[in-house]
Amino acid sequence: MVTALFLAYLLLVMLAKATGFEVTGSTIKSLGTSFGFDQADIREFLAARSDNMIEAYIRFNQIWDTLFGLTYGLMYVVWVSVLFKPLAHKTGLLNLLPLNQVLFDWLENYQLEVIAKQYLADGLIASSNAQLASVFSMIKWACSGLTYLLILVGIVMLIARALGNKK
């Protein structure tokens, strides 16, 4: 159920809302989808867009990507909870690990909002803000990798339990 909700939100909402700031032929579709970026990447991304498109990008990060984080965070928490349910007494709050990805996604979005607003105001991009947004992005993707690894381990354990029960 939560996986269907995630997919529906991704396909029906996120992709539609992203069209407000898409630039045909742009090498960077959205800063948050890359594993880190630098000040030049941010400048290239923003310079290729009109003020209205940058405002759409800000709204996208404030609203739609924030809800997307909740959606995928909930999905991953459910997956981990279900996969590790037989070990819940040993694994404790392991099922909350995916929420770290959500937290860093939100921090990245906030920092990108600060950068975009500064760029609209005076055309500048502070190096420190760019670095912080990039660090948040890299931590987000590292947390994502850990979550995928955790889910993979849970699936392997589920298969092992199923095969063990057949014998």
Side-chain angles (χ1 to χ4, degrees):
M1 174 72 170
V2 291
T3 303
L5 176 66
F6 164 79
L7 289 172
Y9 188 81
L10 174 65
L11 298 173
L12 300 175
V13 176
M14 289 290 285
L15 294 177
K17 296 297 179 182
T19 61
F21 59 87
E22 281 183 357
V23 172
T24 305
S26 176
T27 58
I28 304 172
K29 299 287 185 196
S30 179
L31 294 167
T33 57
S34 57
F35 184 78
F37 38 80
D38 60 19
Q39 194 173 2
D41 293 329
I42 296 170
R43 180 168 306 285
E44 178 186 340
F45 178 83
L46 295 173
R49 286 155 177 80
S50 67
D51 288 359
N52 286 340
M53 294 171 89
I54 295 171
E55 289 288 346
Y57 182 66
I58 292 169
R59 279 189 308 279
F60 177 82
N61 280 334
Q62 288 175 332
I63 300 166
W64 308 111
D65 200 39
T66 298
L67 293 172
F68 185 62
L70 281 176
T71 304
Y72 73 68
L74 176 63
M75 177 184 69
Y76 292 150
V77 165
V78 168
W79 284 0
V80 172
S81 296
V82 168
L83 291 169
F84 287 88
K85 187 174 183 173
L87 304 171
H89 62 285
K90 293 180 184 176
T91 56
L93 299 175
L94 188 63
N95 61 323
L96 297 180
L97 178 72
L99 296 181
N100 289 318
Q101 179 182 356
V102 176
L103 173 66
F104 284 102
D105 191 2
W106 288 349
L107 289 171
E108 173 197 32
N109 288 345
Y110 173 76
Q111 204 58 39
L112 289 171
E113 174 188 343
V114 167
I115 291 167
K117 285 181 176 180
Q118 178 186 10
Y119 183 83
L120 285 174
D122 56 24
L124 299 176
I125 298 169
S127 175
S128 59
N129 289 342
Q131 288 174 334
L132 190 55
S134 180
V135 166
F136 288 151
S137 175
M138 288 186 279
I139 294 171
K140 170 189 77 175
W141 287 111
C143 289
S144 176
L146 288 173
T147 298
Y148 295 147
L149 181 62
L150 186 62
I151 290 169
L152 180 62
V153 167
I155 291 170
V156 168
M157 290 173 51
L158 179 69
I159 292 169
R161 280 193 307 270
L163 293 175
N165 287 341
K166 285 189 176 186
K167 292 181 181 181

